[in-house]
Amino acid sequence: VQLQASGGGLVQPGESLRLTCEASGITFSIYSMGWFRQAQGKRHELIAVVNRDESTNYHESVRGRFIISRVNAKNTVYLQMNSLKFEDTAVYYCNALDTAGTDRAYNVWGRGTQVTVSS
């Protein structure tokens, strides 16, 4: 299983970023996919989910600002991040989700991408 996130960077509050995560070694289309983030000194946090039917769910901290989407033909999941805040600073990862849709299905994190929001 390989999960490679990209697209992070240093931005100012209020700006936007689009993250991309490419998955390989899994049957991508059968999984709900999620974006997690880990702020310094904190545990990983599931912030956005896109299901097989492309329905979505969001953590309250990002709802209304972030949009998750997927393209099964590319084994890729995206996270459009708008109106970024200081507290969005973290390393962002994607993963396939377990059947409950609340935790990762694979015990690997893959390559994350750093998002830093700073003025």
Side-chain angles (χ1 to χ4, degrees):
V1 176
Q2 289 194 341
L3 302 156
Q4 300 192 52
S6 62
L10 173 62
V11 296
Q12 295 186 343
E15 293 186 338
S16 299
L17 282 173
R18 188 189 194 212
L19 306 185
T20 299
C21 182
E22 298 180 12
S24 60
I26 65 171
T27 307
F28 183 86
S29 62
I30 71 171
Y31 286 101
S32 292
M33 296 295 296
W35 280 97
F36 296 75
R37 68 185 179 188
Q38 185 180 31
Q40 192 170 7
K42 296 188 177 181
R43 299 182 66 178
H44 288 86
E45 173 183 49
L46 177 61
I47 60 166
V49 173
V50 58
N51 298 305
R52 292 186 295 173
D53 64 358
E54 300 193 31
S55 60
T56 57
N57 294 291
Y58 299 93
H59 189 276
E60 60 182 358
S61 64
V62 306
R63 191 176 296 125
R65 299 187 298 122
F66 291 8
I67 300 171
I68 187 172
S69 60
R70 65 191 294 163
V71 177
N72 289 341
K74 295 184 177 181
N75 283 12
T76 299
V77 59
Y78 302 96
L79 186 68
Q80 177 66 41
M81 309 166 66
N82 301 319
S83 302
L84 282 160
K85 302 178 179 181
F86 295 120
E87 53 264 41
D88 295 319
T89 296
V91 181
Y92 285 71
Y93 304 85
C94 79
N95 213 317
L97 298 181
D98 60 11
T99 54
T102 58
D103 201 356
R104 53 183 174 152
Y106 294 97
N107 193 27
V108 293
W109 281 114
R111 185 183 73 193
T113 187
Q114 175 71 49
V115 172
T116 303
V117 184
S118 176
S119 57

